[in-house]
Amino acid sequence: MTFAIVEPDAQLASREANHRFLNTLTALHGLLRNDFGGFVDPAVRDAVSVFSSRIQAFASVHRTLGEDSGQDRVDAAAHLAKLCAELCAAHLAPRGVRCEFRSDPANLPREVCQKLSLIVVELVTNAAKHAFGGRSGGRVSVSLRRAGDGWICQVADNGSGLGGGGAGDGMKLVRGLAQALGGALLVHSDAGGVIVTLRLADPDA
């Protein structure tokens, strides 16, 4: 006698929704490249490249966090290391900028890891686009470390600082995600670069 393992309807629906969402992102990436990739204007081509890479990065976040969907927790250190490598290849390396990543061992709830990942995507993308003004040889560092009874996630660059005061749409998104995590966000900017620090309470406390 054989037995078939039947997934609960909710889990099947979740897998199907995940698959459809990834297909949508793939289609959007293709449409963007096809519709705007032929422009000669360097500014348009650069904008298309950055936005296309951002779509790919978000797809990577969703794909990785969609793996083993029955698990409620994620190896955040391994996931963020993979994400930073992908962001570096897509955004930083083509500009001659390197990326460094360090993390303490971190097994975090999936929802927390997802929001942290989106924050890192946005901050690294912003640094690649605005921090270095066309110069090469820059550095973006990402870290996640234990701090007392909580966590600190930090993204820093050695670029030219925030000329506009950090009030762009990217930072608004980051602040919204930080608020959703119940975290405290600190942004320091000067001529030596930008340091964005997110302090989180231990989600298991």
Side-chain angles (χ1 to χ4, degrees):
M1 182 180 295
T2 59
F3 295 90
I5 299 176
V6 180
E7 293 181 298
D9 289 344
Q11 188 172 351
L12 283 170
S14 177
R15 289 180 183 274
E16 178 65 19
N18 181 67
H19 181 69
R20 288 177 179 273
F21 183 67
L22 287 173
N23 284 344
T24 299
L25 288 177
T26 300
L28 180 60
H29 177 259
L31 287 171
L32 185 67
R33 287 292 190 181
N34 289 337
D35 291 350
F36 295 95
F39 278 79
V40 178
D41 187 334
V44 174
R45 293 178 65 88
D46 184 62
V48 170
S49 177
V50 169
F51 196 75
S52 176
S53 297
R54 184 177 292 184
I55 292 173
Q56 290 178 299
F58 274 96
S60 176
V61 171
H62 194 77
R63 185 180 297 108
T64 300
L65 293 176
E67 296 170 356
D68 300 323
S69 58
Q71 301 297 318
D72 294 328
R73 304 185 72 83
V74 173
D75 182 344
H79 170 67
L80 289 175
K82 178 181 177 183
L83 179 64
C84 286
E86 293 171 342
L87 289 171
C88 181
H91 291 290
L92 302 176
R95 293 173 166 82
V97 178
R98 71 182 188 277
C99 183
E100 300 173 349
F101 174 74
R102 296 182 178 86
S103 178
D104 292 335
N107 186 262
L108 299 176
R110 181 172 297 276
E111 184 177 354
V112 172
C113 189
Q114 183 180 36
K115 288 182 173 64
L116 281 177
S117 298
L118 296 177
I119 287 172
V120 169
V121 167
E122 196 60 41
L123 291 175
V124 172
T125 301
N126 284 349
K129 186 175 180 180
H130 300 295
F132 302 103
R135 71 175 175 87
S136 61
R139 182 189 72 254
V140 175
S141 61
V142 180
S143 64
L144 178 65
R145 64 183 189 274
R146 267 287 188 183
D149 59 351
W151 293 91
I152 291 179
C153 181
Q154 190 172 84
V155 179
D157 66 67
N158 63 347
S160 56
L162 292 172
D169 290 339
M171 284 306 302
K172 289 179 182 177
L173 174 60
V174 168
R175 292 184 188 279
L177 288 166
Q179 184 176 10
L181 285 168
L185 192 72
L186 176 65
V187 180
H188 174 79
S189 175
D190 58 29
V194 177
I195 302 174
V196 181
T197 303
L198 173 64
R199 295 180 178 272
L200 295 174
D202 189 337
D204 298 316

